[in-house]
Amino acid sequence: MDCTVQKDTLVEAVSQVMKAISTKTTIPILTGVKMTAGLDGIVLTGSNSDISIKSFIPLEENGNENAVVHTPGQIVLPSRLFSELVRKLPDEEIHIQVDSRLTTKIVSGASEFSLNGLDPEEYPNLPVIDEQDVFKIRKDLLKDLIRQTVYAVSVTETRPVLTGVKWMIQNGQLVCVATDSHRLAQRSVPVEEAEDSAIHTLVIPGSSLNELSKILDDDDEQTVDIVMTANQVLFKSHNVQFYSRLLDGNYPDTSRLIPTESKTIIELGTKAFYHAIERASLLAKEERNNVVKLRAESSQVEISSQSLELGRVYETLKTEKFDGDPLRISFSAKFMMDALSKIDAQNVQIHFVGPMRPIIIRPIGDENILMLILPIRTF
Amino acid sequence: MDCTVQKDTLVEAVSQVMKAISTKTTIPILTGVKMTAGLDGIVLTGSNSDISIKSFIPLEENGNENAVVHTPGQIVLPSRLFSELVRKLPDEEIHIQVDSRLTTKIVSGASEFSLNGLDPEEYPNLPVIDEQDVFKIRKDLLKDLIRQTVYAVSVTETRPVLTGVKWMIQNGQLVCVATDSHRLAQRSVPVEEAEDSAIHTLVIPGSSLNELSKILDDDDEQTVDIVMTANQVLFKSHNVQFYSRLLDGNYPDTSRLIPTESKTIIELGTKAFYHAIERASLLAKEERNNVVKLRAESSQVEISSQSLELGRVYETLKTEKFDGDPLRISFSAKFMMDALSKIDAQNVQIHFVGPMRPIIIRPIGDENILMLILPIRTF
C-alpha cells in the first residue's frame, strides 16, 4: 500500500471510525483501525461487537483532491496512536507506505513515523447486508428522534431488550419507542418506504443510536438510507456507513401503558416548568430519591421539595391553561427534567389521571411526540 | 440579617470564595460559606486549612447598586447548595432574610427557599494580619509568574517544603523558584517594595498559588498588594482578599544546581520544538518512562523515540543557531513540554553541558526566566 492523503480529510475519517473502536475488546485486532486504499479512494473501518463504522475518502470531491493512491493495499494500525498522530502531524499532506513486513511509514513534513502494522487478513469481515428493505429519512429528523427517545432506554441489563429503542414502520410512519418501565418516550416521523419492504420492527441498542447521532454532521438537508435485515441495521450517510446489531427478544407492548383518559390537564411554558423543577431538585437530590411535589389548583401550579437537613423550597407557576380536578402528585425531578429538556416547543401540555397513574407530557403543536413518567407515592 | 442583592454580583462573589471551600474538611462549619451584611456592603468568606478567601460586595460601585442591607447580621449557609441555587434563581434580585432560629429565607421571583443556616459564631476567625511588610505587583505579572514556576513544584510529600514555591525579595526584585529535584523553574520580576520591610523569604504552597491564579480576573493593569507575615501571606486585589498559610522548613539552595558553563548552545523555534517533542512523545509515553532522544550536530537537531511494540519516530529540526560540540542526550518529554509550554517567546535557547548534566532552557529576549530539567541516561 502506498498513498498520499490530505490531513484534514484523514483526521475527520479517523475520528468517525474511532467511535466504533473500544480499547477493552477481547479481540486484539479490533483495537486497530483498518485502512484500505483502492482505485476510487481510501476506506477506514472501525468495529466492536455491537457496531461497525466505515468512512470513505474519495480521491476527489467538490473539485478538491483528497488523496492519491499510488499502490492499492490494506493495513491495520493501532487506533488510538494513529488517531492522535494524524491530528498532530506538521504538514497538510500525509504519505503512508506499507512494506511487505507490515511496517508502515507515515511521513509528513520533517516528521517520520515507522509503525508496526497488524495483519489486515486477520480483520473480521463486516456483515454482508442485502439492501432490499430500505427507507430514507432526513438527517435532522433522525437526530431529533434519537435525542427524543434514547434517553428513556433502560440502563440495567435485567431486561436486555429494554436497553434498545423499538422502531416500527407502518403506513409510511416510523414510530420509535423507548421505556425503562418507569418512563417512556415515543416519537413518530413520516418516512419514504420501499414498496415491497418486509421487516417492520427493529430493536436498536440505545448505545448504537447515541454513537450514530455523534457521527451525523449538521448538514440537515441530506437524507440517510436505512437498510433493515433480520439481525443488523445499516445507516448510510454521505461517505459514512454505520452498522449496528439488533437486540433479540420480544419488546413489550407499550400501548397499554399509555392512559387514554385524563382528569386534569395543565399547560405550562416548557422552560419555566423545567427551571422550577431544576430549582426544587437542588434540595430533592440531596435526599436519596430526588422527588418533587406538584400541586395544581385553578390556574396555579406549586412545585415544592424538601430535605430534612437542608430546608425547603416552594415555587408557584401560572398555568397557561387549566382543565379538570385539583391535584397533588409527586415524581422524579430527574425524569421530568429529562423529558422536558427534549421538547423544543414553547409550551407543554401535561395530562394527569390521578396521583398514582402515569403522567403524560406532550409538546403543544406536535402530536408526534409523547413522554410518559410514572409518579411516586408520597402523599 | 436582611438584605437584597443583585444576582450577578452574588454569583461572582460566591464562585470566588467557593475556591477555598472543600467538602472533605473535618470541620463541618467550613463546608459552609459565611455571609456578613454590614453597613458598607456584604462580605462572603470561604476557608479550608490552607487558604481563606474573602469577597466584598460594596453597596454601590461605578454607579450601580449591588445590594441593600436592611438589617446587618451574619449567617453560614451550606456552600455547594447555596452556590448552585444563586446561579439558578429566576430573578435578577435576591432577597435574603435570616430569622432568630437561623432559618434563611431566599426569595427571587416566584421561587422561595427556606434553608437551615449554621451558627456564624462557630465560624473560625481569619488570621489577623499586621500590614507592615507589603509590596505591590501588577496582576498580569503575578499570573505569569505563578504559571511559569508553580508547574515545577513537587507533587509528593516526601519533602513538604518542595511542594511550595520560594519567593525571595531582594534589591527591588521578587525571585520565585520551584523545583521537584528533577526540574526547576525560576522567574524574577521587579516589585515596589515597602521601605522598612523585614521578611524576605516565603515558601507558598503550590496549590494556594494555583487557586489564587484562578480568582485573579483579567483586569491586568491593576496591582495586587501582597502582605507578608511569618506564617501567612495575604493577597489583596479589587474586592477580594486571599490568605494562604506558608510552608515551614528550609528551602534548599537551588543556585548550585544551575550550571554556569555550557558546551553546546542551540536556538530553536519554541512551538516547532514543542510540537516535535509532542509527536515523539506519542510513542515514548507508551513506554513507561516517556523518554525522547535529542541529537544535535552542526545546524540540525534530531528528535526521536521508540516503542518496542508500536514503532519509531524521527524528526529533524533546523536550528536558528548552533554553537559548540555535537551532542546526544535523552530527557522526559513531559518535563520538556511543561517547560516549553510556559514560554511565550518565539524562540528558545537551550544550553547543554553534557549528556548527564542539567539542561537549561531560556526564552530569547527575557533574561528573567530560566527552566532546568535533568537528563535521563539512555545512551
Side-chain angles (χ1 to χ4, degrees):
Chain A
M1 190 182 109
D2 188 347
C3 65
T4 306
V5 53
Q6 291 300 308
K7 181 177 161 181
D8 294 352
T9 324
L10 186 59
V11 165
E12 200 197 330
V14 172
S15 83
Q16 284 166 339
V17 302
M18 282 300 284
K19 300 212 163 56
I21 302 177
S22 159
T23 50
K24 288 182 216 138
T25 174
T26 49
I27 309 166
I29 191 92
L30 289 185
T31 61
V33 55
K34 184 176 167 192
M35 189 171 189
T36 309
L39 292 175
D40 52 352
I42 296 169
V43 177
L44 295 175
T45 309
S47 183
N48 63 36
S49 51
D50 285 337
I51 61 176
S52 301
I53 301 174
K54 263 190 188 178
S55 182
F56 178 61
I57 301 171
L59 297 184
E60 232 189 83
E61 197 175 30
N62 306 327
N64 296 321
E65 188 171 80
N66 291 324
V68 179
V69 174
H70 311 291
T71 313
Q74 51 185 3
I75 188 70
V76 176
L77 294 169
S79 64
R80 204 184 54 195
L81 173 62
F82 185 62
S83 85
E84 273 196 81
L85 181 160
V86 294
R87 257 181 286 129
K88 288 181 175 155
L89 285 173
D91 199 77
E92 276 316 302
E93 210 168 86
I94 302 173
H95 183 208
I96 303 176
Q97 204 176 7
V98 182
D99 72 13
S100 58
R101 290 159 60 203
L102 304 177
T103 302
T104 305
K105 209 161 88 177
I106 301 171
V107 179
S108 170
S111 183
E112 183 181 325
F113 283 84
S114 223
L115 299 189
N116 303 327
L118 302 167
D119 187 358
E121 298 299 328
E122 284 178 23
Y123 200 88
N125 292 318
L126 294 201
V128 178
I129 300 266
D130 173 17
E131 302 207 1
Q132 200 178 337
D133 288 315
V134 185
F135 66 96
K136 282 179 193 298
I137 184 170
R138 263 180 51 169
K139 207 184 278 182
D140 54 348
L141 266 184
L142 176 58
K143 285 171 85 165
D144 271 357
L145 90 82
I146 293 174
R147 179 173 66 93
Q148 290 169 332
T149 53
V150 79
Y151 76 91
V153 300
S154 171
V155 291
T156 62
E157 291 283 341
T158 38
R159 285 182 70 186
V161 79
L162 293 186
T163 63
V165 181
K166 179 166 82 159
W167 285 29
M168 276 171 303
I169 296 191
Q170 50 196 22
N171 314 324
Q173 289 272 314
L174 166 64
V175 183
C176 302
V177 185
T179 181
D180 61 4
S181 74
H182 301 287
R183 56 173 163 178
L184 175 148
Q186 180 173 310
R187 159 112 207 227
S188 49
V189 294
V191 290
E192 295 171 36
E193 200 181 346
E195 270 176 28
D196 53 351
S197 106
I199 295 162
H200 294 285
T201 302
L202 317 170
V203 184
I204 309 173
S207 54
S208 299
L209 292 170
N210 279 326
E211 293 305 326
L212 171 64
S213 195
K214 286 183 204 157
I215 66 163
L216 293 174
D217 56 38
D218 288 326
D219 195 352
D220 292 340
E221 290 301 311
Q222 286 189 357
T223 59
V224 177
D225 281 9
I226 302 178
V227 188
M228 303 175 285
T229 73
N231 49 27
Q232 287 277 334
V233 57
L234 165 60
F235 298 85
K236 292 168 74 176
S237 164
H238 177 65
N239 289 341
V240 180
Q241 300 199 357
F242 184 102
Y243 298 74
S244 170
R245 75 177 173 97
L246 298 176
L247 291 173
D248 293 330
N250 285 323
Y251 201 89
D253 174 18
T254 51
S255 62
R256 62 189 174 78
L257 284 173
I258 302 166
T260 47
E261 22 138 47
S262 55
K263 291 200 174 132
T264 311
I265 303 177
I266 57 176
E267 283 183 23
L268 287 166
T270 314
K271 281 198 179 147
F273 189 37
Y274 176 90
H275 289 302
I277 304 276
E278 189 185 31
R279 282 185 284 270
S281 158
L282 289 175
L283 288 175
K285 73 184 180 191
E286 300 290 329
E287 303 293 292
R288 260 190 4 152
N289 51 16
N290 198 6
V291 170
V292 300
K293 293 182 186 179
L294 180 148
R295 217 172 58 172
E297 207 173 320
S298 60
S299 62
Q300 286 216 331
V301 168
E302 184 192 81
I303 314 288
S304 65
S305 82
Q306 66 176 33
S307 143
L308 281 181
E309 193 195 335
L310 296 166
R312 293 189 311 276
V313 52
Y314 289 95
E315 182 154 351
T316 311
L317 293 172
K318 270 207 159 18
T319 55
E320 302 287 325
K321 214 168 136 186
F322 183 95
D323 260 334
D325 307 340
L327 172 100
R328 303 172 88 188
I329 197 164
S330 300
F331 49 82
S332 152
K334 179 181 182 304
F335 282 8
M336 187 58 90
M337 286 162 70
D338 280 351
L340 292 171
S341 68
K342 306 303 179 296
I343 291 176
D344 305 319
Q346 207 179 340
N347 292 313
V348 284
Q349 196 169 59
I350 307 166
H351 297 245
F352 305 92
V353 193
M356 286 318 296
R357 300 289 309 281
I359 304 165
I360 302 291
I361 305 124
R362 282 179 179 280
I364 289 175
D366 191 342
E367 282 300 299
N368 296 315
I369 300 176
L370 177 149
M371 319 285 200
L372 174 153
I373 66 179
L374 291 185
I376 292 166
R377 188 190 299 272
T378 58
F379 287 105
Chain B
M1 191 182 107
D2 187 347
C3 64
T4 306
V5 53
Q6 291 300 307
K7 181 177 160 182
D8 295 352
T9 324
L10 186 59
V11 165
E12 199 197 330
V14 172
S15 83
Q16 284 167 336
V17 302
M18 282 300 283
K19 299 211 163 55
I21 302 177
S22 160
T23 51
K24 288 181 216 138
T25 174
T26 48
I27 309 165
I29 191 95
L30 289 185
T31 62
V33 55
K34 184 176 167 190
M35 189 170 189
T36 309
L39 293 175
D40 51 353
I42 296 170
V43 178
L44 295 174
T45 310
S47 181
N48 63 35
S49 52
D50 285 337
I51 61 177
S52 302
I53 302 174
K54 263 190 188 177
S55 183
F56 178 62
I57 301 171
L59 297 184
E60 230 188 84
E61 196 176 31
N62 306 325
N64 296 320
E65 188 173 81
N66 291 324
V68 179
V69 174
H70 313 291
T71 315
Q74 51 185 5
I75 188 68
V76 176
L77 294 169
S79 64
R80 206 184 52 195
L81 173 64
F82 185 62
S83 85
E84 274 195 79
L85 180 160
V86 293
R87 258 182 285 128
K88 290 181 173 153
L89 286 173
D91 199 77
E92 277 317 302
E93 210 167 85
I94 301 173
H95 183 209
I96 303 175
Q97 202 175 9
V98 182
D99 73 14
S100 59
R101 290 158 60 205
L102 305 177
T103 302
T104 306
K105 208 160 88 177
I106 301 172
V107 179
S108 169
S111 183
E112 181 179 326
F113 284 84
S114 221
L115 300 189
N116 303 328
L118 302 168
D119 186 357
E121 298 299 328
E122 284 177 23
Y123 200 87
N125 291 317
L126 294 200
V128 178
I129 299 267
D130 172 16
E131 303 207 2
Q132 197 177 344
D133 288 314
V134 185
F135 67 94
K136 280 178 195 298
I137 184 169
R138 263 181 50 169
K139 208 185 275 184
D140 55 347
L141 267 184
L142 175 58
K143 285 171 88 164
D144 272 357
L145 88 82
I146 293 174
R147 180 174 65 94
Q148 290 169 331
T149 53
V150 80
Y151 76 92
V153 300
S154 173
V155 290
T156 61
E157 291 282 341
T158 37
R159 286 181 70 186
V161 78
L162 294 187
T163 63
V165 181
K166 179 167 82 162
W167 285 29
M168 276 171 304
I169 296 191
Q170 49 195 24
N171 314 321
Q173 288 273 312
L174 166 64
V175 183
C176 301
V177 185
T179 181
D180 62 4
S181 75
H182 302 285
R183 56 175 164 177
L184 175 148
Q186 181 173 309
R187 161 113 206 227
S188 49
V189 294
V191 290
E192 294 171 37
E193 200 180 348
E195 267 176 30
D196 53 348
S197 104
I199 294 161
H200 293 285
T201 301
L202 317 171
V203 183
I204 308 174
S207 54
S208 298
L209 292 170
N210 278 328
E211 293 305 326
L212 171 63
S213 196
K214 286 181 204 158
I215 66 164
L216 292 173
D217 57 38
D218 289 327
D219 195 353
D220 292 341
E221 290 301 310
Q222 285 188 357
T223 59
V224 177
D225 281 9
I226 302 178
V227 188
M228 303 175 284
T229 73
N231 49 27
Q232 287 276 336
V233 58
L234 165 60
F235 297 85
K236 291 168 76 175
S237 166
H238 177 65
N239 288 342
V240 180
Q241 300 199 357
F242 184 101
Y243 298 74
S244 171
R245 75 177 172 98
L246 298 175
L247 291 173
D248 293 330
N250 284 323
Y251 201 89
D253 175 18
T254 52
S255 62
R256 63 191 172 76
L257 283 174
I258 302 165
T260 46
E261 23 139 45
S262 56
K263 289 199 175 134
T264 311
I265 301 176
I266 58 177
E267 283 184 23
L268 287 166
T270 314
K271 281 198 179 148
F273 188 38
Y274 176 89
H275 289 302
I277 304 274
E278 188 185 32
R279 283 186 283 270
S281 157
L282 290 176
L283 288 175
K285 73 184 177 189
E286 299 291 327
E287 304 292 294
R288 256 184 14 145
N289 51 18
N290 197 6
V291 170
V292 299
K293 292 182 186 179
L294 179 149
R295 216 172 59 172
E297 207 174 321
S298 59
S299 63
Q300 286 215 330
V301 168
E302 185 193 81
I303 314 289
S304 65
S305 81
Q306 66 175 33
S307 142
L308 281 180
E309 193 195 335
L310 297 166
R312 292 190 312 277
V313 52
Y314 290 94
E315 182 155 350
T316 311
L317 293 171
K318 271 208 161 14
T319 55
E320 302 286 325
K321 215 168 137 188
F322 183 96
D323 260 335
D325 307 341
L327 171 101
R328 303 171 88 187
I329 197 165
S330 301
F331 49 80
S332 153
K334 179 182 182 303
F335 282 9
M336 186 58 91
M337 286 162 69
D338 280 351
L340 292 172
S341 67
K342 306 303 179 296
I343 291 177
D344 306 319
Q346 206 179 340
N347 293 311
V348 284
Q349 196 169 60
I350 307 165
H351 297 246
F352 304 93
V353 193
M356 288 317 297
R357 299 289 309 282
I359 304 165
I360 301 290
I361 304 125
R362 282 180 178 278
I364 290 176
D366 191 344
E367 283 299 300
N368 296 315
I369 299 176
L370 177 150
M371 318 285 201
L372 174 153
I373 67 178
L374 291 185
I376 292 166
R377 189 189 300 272
T378 59
F379 286 104

